[in-house]
Amino acid sequence: QWVMETEVAIQINDLVFLHGGMSAAYCRNSLASLTEMARAALRESDPSTPDILTDEMGPLWYRGLSGVEPVAASETVEAILGQHGARHIVVGHTPTEGAIWPRYSARVIQVDTGLSAGYGGHIGYLEANGEVLFAGYPNGRIGLPDDDAGRLEYLQQVIAMQPENARLQK
């Protein structure tokens, strides 16, 4: 019942939130239509028929926005943002080893820091304060860079806040 009442993707202000991501195959869909497709697939419940719930290119499983093959093209990111009048796409599902990680000049933001003990138990959160985005960690918060050129300096700041996290240093 809970799943049937939960949205697949939501938009809050200029941020679109998805579990996995959105591939080119789904980038022209409205967020409401993604939820309706998922609910229809749950109601029909035919595991032998491919649908949005199991599609590796669908919003629950796609990792291309997080740098996993097949990697999303910049044009796909722009199409998603344009479709929804958004500035950022926020995705989980692909652990980052402890960093809130901006991609595509912060148009995509990975927020799965690996909170589960199985992925390191890394705590992190995304804070949107007007048009400014911050990554929060137990020892403080850092402004997210708004271009890819600033990612190295940002990562060095995250590492300094989490010196016990050897995976980040790799």
Side-chain angles (χ1 to χ4, degrees), residues 13-15 87-88 125-135 141:
N13 300 324
D14 63 354
L15 295 111
R87 291 182 51 222
H88 307 280
Y125 63 89
L126 178 67
E127 177 184 333
N129 189 345
E131 292 188 14
V132 182
L133 299 175
F134 295 94
R141 67 182 191 156

Side-chain angles (χ1 to χ4, degrees), residues 28 77-86:
R28 296 289 178 202
V77 173
E78 293 306 319
I80 296 165
L81 293 170
Q83 171 75 9
H84 305 290

Side-chain angles (χ1 to χ4, degrees), residues 131-151:
E131 292 188 14
V132 182
L133 299 175
F134 295 94
Y137 303 97
N139 295 326
R141 67 182 191 156
I142 305 168
L144 284 180
D146 57 5
D147 62 23
D148 288 342
R151 292 191 314 166

Side-chain angles (χ1 to χ4, degrees), residues 38-54:
R39 289 177 180 166
L42 283 168
R43 281 190 299 271
E44 294 163 15
S45 188
D46 181 1
S48 66
T49 305
D51 58 37
I52 192 171
L53 300 176
T54 57

Side-chain angles (χ1 to χ4, degrees), residues 1 15 19 25-26 31 36 40 56 62 79 88 95 101 108-109 114-115 138 140-141 151 165-166 168 170:
Q1 185 61 35
L15 295 111
H19 173 72
Y26 290 86
L31 302 182
E36 284 309 311
E56 290 182 6
Y62 182 62
H88 307 280
W101 193 240
V108 174
I109 303 160
L115 182 60
R141 67 182 191 156
R151 292 191 314 166
N165 185 345
L168 276 179
K170 283 185 184 179

Side-chain angles (χ1 to χ4, degrees), residues 13-163:
N13 300 324
D14 63 354
L15 295 111
V16 172
F17 293 84
L18 297 140
H19 173 72
M22 192 178 299
S23 68
Y26 290 86
C27 74
R28 296 289 178 202
N29 288 84
S30 71
L31 302 182
S33 73
L34 297 175
T35 296
E36 284 309 311
M37 286 189 279
R39 289 177 180 166
L42 283 168
R43 281 190 299 271
E44 294 163 15
S45 188
D46 181 1
S48 66
T49 305
D51 58 37
I52 192 171
L53 300 176
T54 57
D55 187 353
E56 290 182 6
M57 301 301 277
L60 301 176
W61 299 107
Y62 182 62
R63 295 177 187 227
L65 296 174
S66 299
V68 177
E69 292 293 335
V71 175
S74 291
E75 295 81 15
T76 300
V77 173
E78 293 306 319
I80 296 165
L81 293 170
Q83 171 75 9
H84 305 290
R87 291 182 51 222
H88 307 280
I89 305 161
V90 181
V91 296
H93 189 58
T94 306
T96 65
E97 307 290 357
I100 301 295
W101 193 240
R103 300 179 59 77
Y104 300 91
S105 294
R107 294 185 318 255
V108 174
I109 303 160
Q110 291 178 257
V111 296
D112 186 344
T113 58
L115 182 60
S116 166
Y119 290 102
H122 308 295
I123 298 171
Y125 63 89
L126 178 67
E127 177 184 333
N129 189 345
E131 292 188 14
V132 182
L133 299 175
F134 295 94
Y137 303 97
N139 295 326
R141 67 182 191 156
I142 305 168
L144 284 180
D146 57 5
D147 62 23
D148 288 342
R151 292 191 314 166
L152 180 57
E153 181 182 337
Y154 164 75
L155 182 57
Q156 290 168 338
Q157 292 174 359
V158 175
I159 290 169
M161 289 183 129
Q162 302 178 52

